Amino acid sequence: MLKRTRKAKIIGVLHSKGGIGKSTVTFNLAEALARLGCETGLIDFDRQGTQTEKFQNRYEKDKERKESFEAAPSIGDLLLAGKKLQKKDFYKADNGVYVIGNSNEINGDFFLRKELSENKYKALKIIASDIDFLDYILIDTVGTQDVQFFNVLSAADYILIPTICKSESKVPLIELIETIKEYQQDKEKNPNLKLLGVVLNIIDKRHTSTNSDFETFLADVLPCTKLQTTIGVDNSFSRLHELGLSVFDGSVLKRAEDYSNLAKEIKVKTNQ
């Protein structure tokens, strides 16, 4: 068997504001990429543990799977070990995605531990770089610019920004773009970091004026950042979360199509 010569592309899914569906995008996009035949990893780097909760919900009625998932090492365990991630560190879920969960211990104080204090802003990069058994690793993290957030900026090859078309998203979005530029311009931070783009999320086509105003804002303030794919709104998202299901498991065919298109667009953009 030929050995892979390419390392996984790490995509940080970020926004400087919570409540914009970032975790839902990460969860569904990971499965969409897996369905395209990409070996895809998902790291829950959010102290709320949303991705971990989804998989716990998914296996609620399958005791063996749930115990196996919960017995796998958490991202906190792996950060403290300080070793390069290996295939055995990921739990392979039944949707084809390789998952590292979170036991909710990675708050700000966690990074003050002596094992991490010297590299607290690059702890994730140390263990996640140069992984050759996956095509993509998606990282979900907090919606505030803190030590977890900066770890993702240091580790990522690309940043994907989901956002909603509301005025309260504008300032945090501009702040995030400025932070990305800071990392790109500092050789000690992440000069190779690339912006994949902004994906408009939870789009309600009945609000055409609001959507149009936000798209104009993007074109004026952040030109050439908007991705072609948009993710529509669906009332079943909260129910899917409760069951640990993706849009591909439910009856939301239009949203499954949205995520398939987003995965295809990302695949093209990351292989240019």
Side-chain angles (χ1 to χ4, degrees):
M1 181 181 294
L2 292 175
K3 187 176 180 180
R4 288 169 58 101
T5 57
R6 254 187 345 189
K7 70 183 183 74
K9 299 176 177 71
I10 300 176
I11 301 175
V13 184
L14 295 179
H15 200 295
S16 296
K17 180 184 183 308
I20 50 81
K22 172 175 52 61
S23 295
T24 299
V25 169
T26 310
F27 184 78
N28 287 296
L29 177 58
E31 182 166 339
L33 286 165
R35 284 172 173 263
L36 288 181
C38 302
E39 296 288 336
T40 305
L42 170 59
I43 297 178
D44 186 353
F45 207 63
D46 188 337
R47 56 178 165 265
Q48 293 181 339
T50 304
Q51 306 299 336
T52 304
E53 183 181 350
K54 284 178 183 287
F55 283 99
Q56 289 170 331
N57 292 346
R58 187 181 188 91
Y59 300 136
E60 186 60 41
K61 296 182 179 179
D62 189 332
K63 182 179 178 181
E64 185 176 349
R65 279 189 180 275
K66 187 173 183 180
E67 288 180 349
S68 180
F69 173 68
E70 292 179 342
S74 71
I75 187 60
D77 296 332
L78 296 165
L79 286 167
L80 290 173
K83 297 178 180 178
K84 296 285 186 184
L85 295 179
Q86 301 177 45
K87 197 169 187 176
K88 65 180 178 62
D89 297 322
F90 291 79
Y91 174 83
K92 182 147 187 206
D94 60 322
N95 63 354
V97 177
Y98 293 83
V99 184
I100 294 179
N102 176 358
S103 55
N104 301 102
E105 79 274 49
I106 54 168
N107 54 31
D109 291 341
F110 174 82
F111 291 93
L112 297 178
R113 298 189 187 192
K114 62 180 181 180
E115 299 96 327
L116 301 173
S117 58
E118 289 186 8
N119 293 295
K120 67 178 182 178
Y121 293 111
K122 294 186 177 180
L124 182 60
K125 182 176 183 177
I126 289 170
I127 67 169
S129 58
D130 299 321
I131 294 174
D132 62 1
F133 55 90
L134 295 171
D135 297 305
Y136 292 97
I137 299 174
L138 271 60
I139 306 176
D140 184 26
T141 194
V142 295
T144 54
Q145 295 200 21
D146 62 7
V147 63
Q148 290 169 248
F149 190 95
F150 297 134
N151 261 271
V152 176
L153 282 169
S154 294
D157 301 304
Y158 300 92
I159 298 298
L160 174 67
I161 307 174
T163 193
I164 53 176
C165 294
K166 292 186 176 180
S167 58
E168 59 262 34
S169 299
K170 293 179 180 179
V171 171
L173 183 56
I174 292 171
E175 290 173 349
L176 174 54
I177 296 293
E178 290 303 312
T179 303
I180 291 171
K181 288 179 180 177
E182 177 187 331
Y183 270 69
Q184 292 171 327
Q185 294 166 4
D186 189 336
K187 65 180 182 180
E188 298 298 322
K189 290 186 175 179
N190 194 352
N192 297 317
L193 182 64
K194 298 179 179 66
L195 175 62
L196 264 180
V198 178
V199 56
L200 302 185
N201 188 36
I202 321 178
I203 297 300
D204 190 336
K205 293 185 177 179
R206 295 172 300 178
H207 301 159
T208 54
S209 177
T210 302
N211 297 340
S212 178
D213 288 347
F214 196 88
E215 291 192 35
T216 300
F217 155 75
L218 276 181
D220 290 344
V221 179
L222 306 168
C224 303
T225 61
K226 178 181 170 294
L227 296 180
Q228 293 182 0
T229 307
T230 59
I231 307 297
V233 67
D234 199 287
N235 294 329
S236 65
F237 281 158
S238 59
R239 180 58 176 160
L240 290 175
H241 171 76
E242 291 172 5
L243 297 173
L245 301 177
S246 75
V247 293
F248 298 97
D249 301 310
S251 57
V252 283
L253 296 179
K254 289 297 293 181
R255 302 296 77 81
E257 183 180 339
D258 292 345
Y259 278 102
S260 293
N261 289 337
L262 179 60
K264 290 173 185 175
E265 186 173 359
I266 285 173
K267 193 174 178 183
V268 170
K269 290 181 75 69
T270 55
N271 285 287
Q272 290 177 343

